[in-house]
Amino acid sequence: MDSSARFESHSQINDDNSVSTNFLTLQQNLTEVAFSFDNGSLNVPKPRLESVSEDGNLAVVSLPSIADHPLVRGPFHRHLCVKPVNYLDIFSSGILLLGITRHNFLERSLMASARRKHFRQVFKVLGEYGASHDNFCKLGKKVAECGFSHVDRTWLVKKLKYFTDDHKKMIRRQLKLDVGEYTNETFDRLLTSSNSLRRSVEVLHNISLLKLVLPFVELEMELSNSNGEFCRKALHQIALKQRSYAAALKVTLSQYGPIGIEDTLLVEEITVEKVLEKMRILNEKVNPSGVLENTYYHQKLAEQLILRTSHGKGLLARVYHLRKMLGSSRIRYEKVKSQQQAVGAENPASLQLSFLFDSQFDSALKNLTKKFPFNQSVDSNAKDFKIVRDNASKIAGDLLPFQQTFTDIHSFMVDALNTLELVRTWLVINFSLYDVASYFLELLSTLFSLLMLLNKIEERKQIMALFGYIRRCEAASNCDLRVESFIADLDPIANLQSKLASLETVFHSGLMLPLSGLFSRRMRDPKKFMDEFNLVMRPNQIAEPFVDIALEDSQFFSPEASYLSLETIEKWMCVMVIVCPRILEDDTLREQWRVLMSNRYALPLFRDVIEKLHELMSSAIQSGNLSRDSKRALEKDIGHSQKIAATQAPTLRKKARLFLRKCLKSNYLILSDVPGLLGMKTQLALIIMGAARDEIHWLVAHCTTEAPGKKGTPPHSDLKEPHLAEMLYYVEKLRNLFKKYDQVIFVYHGSMIKRRNEDLAVIMPQVTNLPEHETTIFSDIINRIKSLPPPTEAHEAGREWDDFQGIRLDWIRLQTYLGDFPQDKRAGFLGLRTPGEPTGMNMAPQGYARMSEIASRVSRAMFGITFSSKMIDYLDNVLNQVSDMSIFFMSASNLVLEKVFMQTLEEEPKYCTVFPRLLTKLSFDPDMSPLLGGPVICAEERDHVGDLSLTTCNTLLEEICKRACQVIREVCKQHQILSDQLMPRHAPHYGVGGQAVAVPVDPPSGGTLRKKNSIAASVQMVEKPMPGSESARERRDKQVSELDRLSNEMVELVTAINECEQIIVNRFSFAPKEFLLSRLEATFMDQIREMMDKPVSLPTAAPPPVKGQEPQVPFPVEEFSDITELRCLAEMIGPYGVRYINEVISQKILGQYQELKKIANDNAQKLNQIYQLIEAKPGEAVKVGDSLIGKDVRVKVNQFLTMMGAFLALRDLLSTALNDVLKKRVPFLMSCISGLEKPDQRPDANDLAATAGFKVKYYDPILQQLLKIKNFESLRTGTKQENDQLVNCFITLFGLSLPDIVELHNLPYNKSYETSGSNALCIGKAVNSIITMTLLMLPQPEEEYIRNCFVRFLTHASSCVLRMSESTGATSPGESGGDQGTMSAATLLLNRRSRDTTYLVLKQIVEDCPYLSMDALEAVFPYTLVRCAFHNSHLKEPPPRPVRQS
């Protein structure tokens, strides 16, 4: 058709039909010409006539749009995921389900349905009898062969039934079920109905025999959670029960739930059309409702939030540790390098990470950093990097932890961003679903802190450049360019702003608005805020359960929001503003943001890593997508709030701490007085403890951060808190109150769980629009709580409730389900706004989504159940969360801790022990999650932090005890001054009645002579009060003397130390009392050592008494025999002090022994001659002894024996006192040591027993140890002959000396101390010790030989003493009374005392000797004399009898 014809056809007037036909023909022709295809293949809609003008000249025709046609737009390229739903091992065939979709929804739906509905797998197993193979398959290696002719069908069917029953019994035991009789239906119903049994347990439901044609057999097995390997093993075990072998030829999965072989495709049959058709069929079989369920996906989404957050906190600890390691390595390198010239100094190059600070590596590091990241290949032979290649192994080993950590951070960042985006895409996030929202914000905050902390590692590029270069030189394939680019281009603020810009609407409407409301509630007037939680201010509500109504009105249904850390709220708000600064365009949010910026200038990132908030916010504003005017206005707000934060915020926070201290103290006093209130006031106590934690964290952060302004400006005066320890003290007391009365909390919150569960059971039937799966979870929760016994019965029976962690996880998953309802169901249950409502940035605070009444009641009930369950399951973790004071023990905060601690010691010593007690909350249990209140500590720093906590606790306790000892010394000094005022020498200074006396004052050294004379002539009147006048005062609180102040401080210190019996830190126990006692022991030991190091004049025996004169006591028994004083001494100086005194006494004893040995050696020939007559002629031996051994020698021997015995008695008494003290202080330890004093124990065991105060039989460890010292080596004898000779000399000498005790100061017998006043009865201890010590000088002496030696001594001594009794009437020169025929009364009294004392000494020798008995004494000595001597010694004054001179 030409142009004229076409024009004519258009210009002619035609009817509507003709016009329509022409337009349609034209459209079709144009389409055919354009695409050269027919209409059917194009599938293009036909043109449609819309209207025609009245004159018929114009027509409106709508042509179809072909913009979306595949030939125009091209194909859609989508990323398809293919994942298997079930798995087949390499020896099995059959059904293999694949999920093919963009987001794996079908695969997740199939897996969720399979787990929930417990899809069973039906395997067909073809086997062959006769042989056993290593993998139970015919293709494996043959192991053994046997016959199979005895196998028949009846026997095989019976064995199959037995095998199935045995397997089910094993499953019941594994799942801890009652092993009773179960039918198959009961067993299957139990497995499918109980949530606790939904786990990957291989379950065999049934085995049936299909065919048996020996040697072949075909079985059908119905399984759950199993695979073909189980079938092969089962076939082998069944054959073994038939005393044969069998192996599988073929294992086929023929049925998987509702899916059979007929629903599958072979490999060669797979096409797009057939796959789509099969997907439709499978979807109908798996989900008859036709809706793909996303249950499993959202279950994973809830768990992703939890696990990602926990993983991020662990990475924070690792990066912090690596950063600290870099800093300490630099300091150590510089220190070692400065000492390099010293002899034996350490080589700096051998230190860890030394190459990062060595100047030899500067050139290589600079060039590598320039080329980083290595987008191209690097020259592995470059000369500039030769030093790097030479130290490649050391560098790679040191940098491997850094590279692995950086890789983990990059992987975590990718996963966290994906999780945040998925949550934003699928869920409606607000604080009505508190757990999801809090985990969402915590994950975002953790990601921000992690990137900021990584950005503070200045050497990160050098580290990655070195490691990447070494790996490329080694041709390694594990060089990740993505990680290198991530490190090179790291800019935390810019990166997060670009990748999380889509979260702007979520931040504004769902999170920032309600969070700002919670923040404004926390930041109101501190007095009003504290009065709201002070029990004293609300006496009418003390007996009522605490409910935070204002919090619930703001849609925060979780009680955990009430004690959420203010620091966490501020950090969440800051991070949201940094990531999306545009949310500040809302006036309400901007006002709250100004308040936040005016409240602090330090933002903690992690531990003691703190960022300056205003500088950080300014950087975020400048890099944000804001207009220039908005940036200028926000910068002005930042500058104004910065001045307020530096000048006014410290004063406001100090005022808040004042009211908080009062609230803490009053609430603690009430709760400790009425502990039954702890259950209903749990939330209130957690709120005030959390408020105290917030204030302390704020104070520490701002004390360690320089205030904005001029450099060198001193810190604000209100940052000094003198009463900080009091606040910590009452927080710790409240914490201990919770632990002490945990059963009260258990009973109350257990009953609250029951009550809220009943409310939930009433509400849930009213909810009709929930999906089936969510309704099932709610029903399971209700039924499980309903099945629990009442908390009072469980407490009385001693049973604990089940762990509620599963219920809490189910509730978090349910929150993800409720946040992802379809729009029609969401509006019905959650009561959210309709799509037509505004969602822009100008929405009012009241415009965020609010839940319906039913949904709010469900949320209140569930949040109440989860809160009460945490009070039962994780009470310690919750307490750790609200009272976390670990910030004190970080490196940057050590100065704050030191200042506060020393200030507390001086001003408030009664609260000083709270600082070491804070370390008990630093738990190092790897199973405790940081999300549950545990510390965030990585594995690499666990030992370091543990050692640091032990060192810190030890140092704090040492300082406390040091201060206590110092105050005690000052108190003693003040008492000494007061006591000294009563001395007579001060009497002239006190006038009569306390009047002033004139005391001349010396003139000063300077001045003129005239002035000096005038001053000298003057007399100054000094008024000195009388002693004791300091006690008279009008007001005790106003007039405080120095002694009062010291006494109060001493009482407060001792009370603080005595308040806690033990402090457990890192599995070690510290006892503050023992610290104080050890410090006192050390103090007294220093004084005793000074006293004992001075020359001591040992007491010596006085000369013989003059006739008629009473002798003097050389060593009074009262000075060392008071057991009470000795116990006090042992309490003060401890075991080490007693051991030291015993060693000094033992040295004195060995000095006396040396003198006695010298006397024995000088008279050895005479003593041996006398010893030969002892057995043959005892009486002759005594006479010869009196003539050969002079009286002066015998008296001298008695003096040494008396002195030595007194030292031994003192040492025994001191050891006994120590033993009494230790049995009271460490009874369990003493019971363990009590058996070590036996003679059959090792010498070191005897030494330990002697140190503890036990008396070792037959052995003196201290003396034996001293004999090994060089100064006393001469005392040891060389041979057995010399030893025997010395023992014989001692036996003879001591026996001859006993009758001469009369020559000593013979005082009367002291009945109070049961000893002689002259210490003569101590001779027995000396004699036994000397003979025993001499006999034990040679190794392994025979006990019988030692006993014989003592028997010979007893025989000889008895003869000497009896001879003394016969000669008591002999006349001594000068003793006659002139012409009187009788002896004087004084002489008779002395003779009687001497004789009685000698008898008692002989008896004492036998009693103290372990080798003698009283039978041996009675055999050689009449015991009547001993009895009479004991009787006479107890008389008030023995009557003298006149004896006529012969």
Side-chain angles (χ1 to χ4, degrees), residues 602-614:
L603 180 66
L605 294 179
F606 184 72
R607 295 185 183 173
D608 59 335
V609 181
I610 299 173
E611 279 286 341
K612 293 185 177 180
L613 176 60
H614 298 85

Side-chain angles (χ1 to χ4, degrees), residues 1122-1132 1213-1214 1216-1218 1220-1221 1224:
D1122 192 341
I1123 191 64
T1124 303
E1125 293 182 357
L1126 292 176
R1127 287 171 183 163
C1128 294
L1129 178 64
E1131 184 80 24
M1132 290 187 294
L1213 285 173
L1214 191 57
T1216 303
L1218 174 65
D1220 296 340
V1221 171
K1224 292 182 179 179

Side-chain angles (χ1 to χ4, degrees), residues 329-330 333-334 337 340 347-366 387-388 391 394-395 459 462 466:
S329 298
R330 181 188 294 275
Y333 176 81
E334 294 175 355
K337 189 176 181 180
Q340 192 174 5
N347 184 15
S350 63
L351 298 177
Q352 189 178 14
L353 302 174
S354 59
F355 47 84
L356 292 176
F357 322 114
D358 196 344
S359 58
Q360 298 178 3
F361 287 81
D362 287 347
S363 176
L365 288 174
K366 187 176 181 180
I387 188 172
V388 177
N391 299 273
K394 181 181 185 302
I395 294 175
E459 300 87 353
Q462 300 176 3
L466 280 173

Side-chain angles (χ1 to χ4, degrees), residues 235-302:
L235 176 63
H236 176 73
Q237 294 176 4
I238 292 170
L240 289 178
K241 289 181 178 293
Q242 296 174 297
R243 299 193 296 275
S244 181
Y245 293 137
L249 293 173
K250 184 179 179 182
V251 179
T252 304
L253 177 59
S254 60
Q255 184 94 13
Y256 185 77
I259 305 169
I261 290 288
E262 66 277 4
D263 300 322
T264 61
L265 294 173
L266 298 178
V267 176
E268 59 270 12
E269 296 176 352
I270 296 178
T271 62
V272 176
E273 292 78 8
K274 292 183 178 181
V275 168
L276 293 175
E277 179 65 20
K278 292 296 182 182
M279 288 176 64
R280 184 185 61 80
I281 296 173
L282 294 181
N283 184 32
E284 292 178 354
K285 286 191 173 186
V286 175
N287 300 307
S289 61
V291 179
L292 288 177
E293 299 182 6
N294 51 10
T295 302
Y296 183 72
Y297 178 76
H298 285 94
Q299 178 181 354
K300 296 274 290 196
L301 185 59

Side-chain angles (χ1 to χ4, degrees), residues 1062-1079:
Q1062 62 178 359
I1063 301 174
I1064 300 177
V1065 179
N1066 195 19
R1067 300 182 299 276
F1068 287 87
S1069 178
F1070 292 85
K1073 294 181 184 178
E1074 298 299 328
F1075 267 82
L1076 178 59
L1077 291 174
S1078 62
R1079 185 51 117 169

Side-chain angles (χ1 to χ4, degrees), residues 654-672:
K654 186 173 184 178
K655 181 181 177 182
R657 291 193 295 272
L658 173 63
F659 293 111
L660 180 59
R661 283 200 312 273
K662 296 179 180 178
C663 183
L664 275 170
K665 184 176 181 180
S666 59
N667 284 353
Y668 165 71
L669 294 176
I670 292 176
L671 293 177
S672 61

Side-chain angles (χ1 to χ4, degrees), residues 1073-1088:
K1073 294 181 184 178
E1074 298 299 328
F1075 267 82
L1076 178 59
L1077 291 174
S1078 62
R1079 185 51 117 169
L1080 289 173
E1081 290 173 5
T1083 303
F1084 285 109
M1085 275 298 302
D1086 293 339
Q1087 298 178 357
I1088 292 174

Side-chain angles (χ1 to χ4, degrees), residues 339-347:
Q339 301 174 353
Q340 192 174 5
Q341 304 299 329
V343 179
E346 189 176 2
N347 184 15

